[in-house]
Amino acid sequence: MTATDGPASQLPQSERERAGQSDLIPFREALRTWFAISLQTFGGPAGQIAVMQRTLVEEKRWIGQQRFNHALSYCMLLPGPEAQQLAIYTGWLLNGTRGGLAAGTLFVLPGVVALLALSALYVGFGTTTAVTGLFAGLAPAVVAVVAQAVWRVGRRSLTHPLLVGLAVASFGALALFQVPFPVVIVVAGVAGWLIARWSPGVFKPAAHGSGDDGPAPLISDDALHHERPSRGRTLRILLVGLLLWAVPVAAVAALTGTDSVFTTQGLFFSGTALVTFGGAYAVLAYVAQQAVQTYGWLRAGEMVRGLALAETTPGPLIMVVQFVAFLGAYRDPGSLDPWAAALLGALLTTWVTFVPCFLFIFLGAPYIERLRGNRHVSSALSGITAAIVGVIASLALYFAEHTLFSTVDDRTFGPLHLGMPDFTTFRPVALGIALVAVALIFRLRWSVLRTLGVCAGLGLAAALAGLTGS
């Protein structure tokens, strides 16, 4: 489907902009699209961003590449899962507040359901051959999905050698020197601003404002969203958002006590939601330390298994906190049935983790929309967009190392911090499945879902043959 297929897209551009007061596309069509996207959100932020770009920018033509990049750059500045926040932002652009709510909710819903089921399976039955085999096939396939994301985002965003250099520098800073993610983003923004001053042609818009070839997108890069920022609007959203965030935690504290595992989890994960800059990997070390050593919700090995579950289910990787809360509440249920306690802990943790994402987007998006016309701000965000390619590439390297090798040691050589795989723990079966996935995605251009299905079947076959450890 292209931008000329739907009823709203038949309107002239001026009518489309006025249509922003309701829906730019039929809401049911948006729901179907976001649900389809939600089933493909494997592979962490890199894969998720690639799925949205392919669907919204390249296939549907609902949003142009520059508008997509601008929204993504803003989301990268926020704490929390940037891919889900990008879904909220884009849903808001297309269908207003209800569009943002629907897109953000559907984006995480399959992952919530899947991880709940897998957490229950883990608690009830432990590791089984079938589950192990499915994971053994999905993880290598995700490597190919992330590689596709690097290619797609880089091909569209790195339109000048200076931007390529910025992406390479960002990759090196993260992968080789372990520079904190916020520092990389701030430096990239300043670099974008300086590049625009020295060489304004670097960020010159492409035809159609889309950043690529093809028909003009439904939302022009020059059109402003109808929802204007105001003090009244900001206060209303802030009040509603804070109440939605805090009331469930307060209710749990009142009903189960301030010392219950539920209250502790609600407060702890509310705090982590505010410091997850740089994606889930940046905060998971802290979460693991606190959950294992301080609170005793689970064991260190179980934290690794939970991360594997989160990496091979749809949705943001930070969803691993749901697994942590599930096990912690199951083992310390108080007066509740252990299974009911586990469900309550998992859902409360999920709630306090993702509600802030909606709050940040609905508060900031109208302001960011107006700032797109500011050359200095736009250049800074374009610099961040270039750095994002390096960020995704560093995540791709991390994921590939931990998929293709059972053991990866951290080595320090002066300022260099390298993840050095133990080559004696190489997994040839994982490499074989990854190569199959690369061929299916890049050569045959199969969909992500179809590729994941085939690779899951290969992993299951390998498990039944006793090859999952190979």
Side-chain angles (χ1 to χ4, degrees), residues 40-53 83-84 107 314-317:
Q40 305 175 58
T41 53
F42 294 88
Q48 293 155 8
I49 291 166
V51 168
M52 284 190 283
Q53 173 167 317
Q84 192 230 4
F107 192 85
L317 184 59

Side-chain angles (χ1 to χ4, degrees), residues 211-230:
D212 58 351
D213 297 327
L218 179 61
I219 302 179
S220 167
D221 283 332
D222 299 325
L224 288 175
H225 193 277
H226 78 281
E227 195 167 8
R228 295 180 178 277
S230 68

Side-chain angles (χ1 to χ4, degrees), residues 68-394:
F68 184 87
N69 288 347
H70 183 91
L72 177 57
S73 297
Y74 169 60
C75 295
M76 293 293 286
L77 293 173
L78 300 173
E82 60 271 19
Q84 192 230 4
Q85 291 166 339
L86 178 61
I88 299 170
Y89 196 125
T90 309
W92 173 78
L93 285 175
L94 294 168
N95 297 95
T97 300
R98 67 171 181 167
L101 290 171
T105 302
L106 286 174
F107 192 85
V108 300
L109 190 58
V112 170
V113 174
L115 198 53
L116 276 177
L118 291 172
S119 299
L121 180 65
Y122 177 81
V123 169
F125 301 100
T127 303
T128 66
T129 300
V131 174
T132 301
L134 290 175
F135 291 161
L138 287 173
V142 170
V143 174
V145 173
V146 176
Q148 183 192 44
V150 175
W151 168 252
R152 285 180 177 272
V153 178
R155 182 166 55 95
R156 301 299 187 189
S157 304
L158 305 182
T159 57
H160 191 277
L162 286 176
L163 299 180
V164 175
L166 191 54
V168 172
S170 299
F171 171 82
L174 289 167
L176 303 180
F177 296 96
Q178 293 189 355
V179 177
F181 177 84
V183 174
V184 173
I185 292 300
V186 170
V187 171
V190 173
W193 176 71
L194 292 174
I195 289 173
R197 292 195 65 184
W198 294 335
S199 182
V202 171
F203 299 123
K204 185 177 180 180
H208 298 310
S210 64
D212 58 351
D213 297 327
L218 179 61
I219 302 179
S220 167
D221 283 332
D222 299 325
L224 288 175
H225 193 277
H226 78 281
E227 195 167 8
R228 295 180 178 277
S230 68
R231 182 179 300 176
R233 177 190 178 279
T234 298
L235 291 176
R236 286 194 303 273
I237 291 178
L238 189 60
L239 177 61
V240 172
L242 291 177
L243 284 175
L244 289 173
W245 193 0
V247 166
V249 180
V252 163
L255 293 173
T256 65
T258 56
D259 295 330
S260 71
V261 66
F262 312 106
T263 304
T264 302
Q265 289 179 347
L267 293 175
F268 174 71
F269 289 114
S270 290
T272 59
L274 298 176
V275 296
T276 52
F277 292 96
Y281 288 116
V283 77
L284 282 181
Y286 171 70
V287 170
Q289 180 188 41
Q290 295 297 306
V292 173
Q293 299 177 11
T294 303
Y295 298 112
W297 291 331
L298 74 174
R299 296 182 291 274
E302 291 176 324
M303 186 70 196
V304 175
R305 296 186 191 103
L307 184 59
L309 291 177
E311 285 177 328
T312 50
T313 52
L317 184 59
I318 196 63
M319 198 78 75
V320 68
V321 299
Q322 178 182 296
F323 176 82
V324 173
F326 189 98
L327 266 62
Y330 180 87
R331 291 165 178 170
D332 185 15
S335 61
L336 297 180
D337 175 81
W339 289 104
L343 182 62
L344 175 60
L347 293 180
L348 177 65
T349 294
T350 301
W351 181 268
V352 299
T353 297
F354 291 106
V355 164
C357 298
F358 294 92
L359 180 59
F360 295 147
I361 295 300
F362 290 145
L363 278 177
Y367 294 95
I368 294 299
E369 282 292 292
R370 265 64 193 172
L371 288 174
R372 286 190 302 107
N374 184 300
R375 183 173 61 87
H376 300 295
V377 174
S378 180
S379 299
L381 290 177
S382 296
I384 293 172
T385 298
I388 287 170
V389 179
V391 172
I392 297 174
S394 70

Side-chain angles (χ1 to χ4, degrees), residues 405-442:
F405 299 90
S406 300
T407 303
V408 179
D409 298 320
D410 293 327
R411 303 286 180 85
T412 301
F413 305 92
L416 286 176
H417 297 270
L418 302 178
M420 300 292 291
D422 181 351
F423 289 96
T424 63
T425 65
F426 173 64
R427 297 168 171 166
V429 171
L431 177 62
I433 296 176
L435 292 176
V436 169
V438 168
L440 295 178
I441 289 177
F442 286 92

